């Protein structure tokens, strides 16, 4: 994402113009745009016209619209973001208050004005989006005989790029040849599909995961093909091909793959690995049950009020899905909590809801904390609801 223009006043009012350059930027835009915001972007509108003779016709016109956002629809696999709302500035083609859906596209500017001003979390999303030193995307193939899911693990989400399914006959006595032919065809199709989506010559990890020996067999097939075709770039990169165990070839098995020690060692400096580590640290303390790990909205807010999420190891863990609430008051609640922790010298980590660590946190209500000193009975007295329910 490229920052084109920023015009924000001290009170947080103003606009930011951004230029999305890659599919990941649409994910950032999805986390930035909220209901009641004002969004300006290019649009195509079908306009009906009537001639002097009374005949009517319709044409598609290119224009720029400003809408007051009511709904946001994001397709992570396609990297498409559709934002609906009422037109907030009338122009030649569209009346004030008319409904329209803006399709945000790569390489087209959009300008955003936050309905309640630019808070610290929104500005952090912008800083993260325009950061130049982004960590590389890690490709992964999760597979079993006849099934392969080709994924891309980015800093913020796991994207399924393609699913491969072929028929591999079961190995039976006297019919091993049919099984071997089917498996070879499966490997061939998987490799062809992988090469369409991923450059496997780049010096970065390529995760190959399966139960049994399917992934190891696929790795051997890839290297054998590279030898046969004289592809020296693939052969030079073979040390980055990492075969790991998974319980199945389905996408959800990627969660266990990404927690394996050999994978974490390869990805240890990435944002994903750091988020996984902090969630592991939290779960370890939670099992100890010594009052240093708490989860749930009220419990965590109480801990922050008592100064227990401060310097010296205090960490607030909060899921970014809570900031996508349709209710402005709910969003303000969590922004204020993040600000209070950081101002007090503690660490606040906003975890991606599209990664395994964020999903684990979501199962705990979307918010948790590691305390600098133990506190008992934070869950007494209050009958608290889930943060995710309050977040709409």
């Amino acid at each position: 994402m490229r920052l084109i223009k920023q015009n924000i006043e001290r009170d947080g009012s103003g606009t930011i113009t951004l230029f999305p350059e890659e599919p990941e930027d649409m994910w950032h835009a999805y986390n930035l745009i909220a209901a009641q915001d004002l969004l300006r972007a290019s649009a195509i509108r079908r306009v009906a016209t009537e001639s002097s003779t009374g005949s009517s016709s319709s044409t598609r016109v290119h224009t720029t619209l400003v809408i007051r956002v009511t709904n946001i629809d994001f397709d992570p696999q396609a990297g498409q973001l559709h934002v609906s709302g009422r037109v907030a500035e009338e122009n030649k083609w569209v009346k004030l208050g008319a409904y329209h859906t803006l399709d945000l596209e790569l390489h087209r500017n959009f300008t955003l004005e936050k309905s309640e001003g630019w808070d610290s979390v929104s500005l952090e999303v912008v800083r993260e989006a325009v950061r130049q030193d982004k960590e590389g995307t890690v490709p992964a193939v999760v597979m079993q005989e006849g099934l392969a899911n080709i994924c891309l693990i980015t800093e913020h989400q796991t994207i399924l790029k393609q699913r491969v399914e072929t028929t591999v006959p079961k190995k039976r006595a006297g019919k091993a040849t049919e099984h071997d032919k089917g498996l070879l065809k499966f490997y061939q199709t998987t490799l062809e599909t992988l090469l369409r989506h991923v450059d496997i010559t780049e010096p970065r990890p390529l995760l190959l995961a399966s139960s049994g020996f399917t992934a190891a067999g696929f790795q051997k097939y890839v290297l054998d093909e590279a030898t046969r075709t004289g592809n020296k770039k693939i052969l030079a990169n073979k040390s980055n091909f990492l075969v790991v165990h998974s319980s199945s070839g389905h996408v959800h098995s990627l969660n266990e793959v990404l927690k394996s020690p050999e994978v974490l060692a390869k990805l240890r400096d990435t944002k994903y690995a750091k988020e996984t580590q902090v969630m592991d640290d939290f779960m370890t303390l939670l099992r100890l049950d010594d009052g240093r790990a708490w989860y749930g909205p009220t419990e965590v807010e109480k801990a922050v009020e008592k100064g227990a999420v401060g310097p010296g190891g205090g960490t607030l863990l909060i899921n970014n899905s809570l900031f996508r609430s349709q209710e402005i008051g709910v969003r303000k609640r969590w922004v204020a909590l993040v600000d209070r922790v950081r101002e007090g010298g503690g660490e606040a980590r906003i975890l991606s809801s599209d990664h395994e660590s964020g999903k684990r946190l979501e199962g705990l209500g979307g918010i948790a904390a590691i305390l600098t000193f133990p506190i008992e009975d934070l869950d007494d007295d209050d009958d608290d609801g889930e943060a995710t329910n309050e977040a709409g």
Side-chain angles (χ1 to χ4, degrees), residues 50-329:
E50 188 173 319
S51 68
S52 56
T53 60
S55 62
S56 61
S57 63
S58 67
T59 56
R60 289 157 63 88
V61 297
H62 289 264
T63 185
T64 299
L65 292 181
V66 178
I67 64 170
R68 178 75 68 180
V69 176
T70 58
N71 189 57
I72 305 147
D73 178 44
F74 177 54
D75 181 348
Q77 189 168 351
Q80 295 176 344
L81 184 61
H82 312 288
V83 187
S84 305
R86 287 183 177 270
V87 174
E89 285 185 13
E90 192 168 0
N91 68 16
K92 179 181 177 181
W93 307 109
V94 189
K95 290 183 178 180
L96 194 68
Y99 276 104
H100 188 86
T101 297
L102 291 171
D103 299 319
L104 297 192
E105 299 177 352
L106 295 179
H107 310 297
R108 287 184 183 271
N109 290 355
F110 68 88
T111 300
L112 187 66
E113 180 179 346
K114 302 295 291 180
S115 62
E116 293 292 313
W118 291 87
D119 56 46
S120 62
V121 172
S122 296
L123 292 173
E124 184 175 329
V125 173
V126 173
R127 284 193 297 272
E128 187 70 26
V130 302
R131 188 163 58 86
Q132 294 298 310
D133 59 336
K134 292 184 179 178
E135 294 148 3
T137 297
V138 176
V141 184
V142 190
M143 58 200 317
Q144 61 193 46
E145 286 193 1
L147 171 67
N149 287 287
I150 296 168
C151 305
L152 293 177
I153 306 161
T154 73
E155 283 190 277
H156 304 281
Q157 56 182 330
T158 300
I159 304 167
L160 172 64
K161 296 301 293 183
Q162 189 76 49
R163 184 184 178 94
V164 176
E165 288 186 273
T166 67
T167 301
V168 178
K170 290 186 177 181
K171 188 179 285 189
R172 292 189 174 93
K175 293 187 177 181
T177 304
E178 290 182 21
H179 171 269
D180 293 344
K181 283 182 179 177
L183 189 59
L184 196 65
K185 180 64 177 175
F186 167 60
Y187 285 159
Q188 180 187 350
T189 305
T190 302
L191 178 57
E192 289 171 353
T193 308
L194 176 64
L195 292 176
R196 284 200 298 271
H197 293 284
V198 175
D199 181 359
I200 64 173
T201 65
E202 282 192 31
R204 61 182 177 182
L206 169 63
L207 308 182
L208 306 174
S210 74
S211 56
F213 302 101
T214 308
F218 179 62
Q219 181 194 40
K220 182 178 184 303
Y221 175 82
V222 172
L223 297 177
D224 286 348
E225 281 296 291
T227 302
R228 185 179 67 81
T229 58
N231 193 322
K232 293 180 181 178
K233 288 185 177 180
I234 289 180
L235 293 172
N237 198 38
K238 65 180 182 181
S239 62
N240 280 311
F241 299 173
L242 184 61
V243 175
V244 290
H245 174 79
S246 67
S247 57
S248 77
H250 297 282
V251 177
H252 64 78
S253 294
L254 196 55
N255 291 339
E256 64 187 83
V257 170
L258 292 171
K259 286 194 290 183
S260 66
E262 59 266 48
V263 172
L264 286 175
K266 281 276 188 182
L267 308 182
R268 61 182 175 275
D269 294 326
T270 64
K271 183 176 189 294
Y272 169 80
K274 291 170 184 173
E275 290 185 356
T276 299
Q277 186 60 57
V278 76
M279 273 305 298
D280 286 345
D281 292 345
F282 172 80
M283 296 305 295
T284 298
L285 288 172
L286 190 64
R287 284 191 291 272
L288 288 175
D289 194 23
D290 64 355
R292 286 183 295 160
W294 287 92
Y295 64 90
T298 299
E299 290 85 348
V300 171
E301 284 177 319
K302 282 182 182 178
V304 172
E305 286 171 12
K306 294 176 182 291
V309 192
T315 306
L316 172 68
L317 307 173
I318 188 163
N319 204 313
N320 66 359
S321 62
L322 298 186
F323 299 104
R324 293 197 291 264
S325 172
Q326 297 289 316
E327 297 179 30
I328 292 169

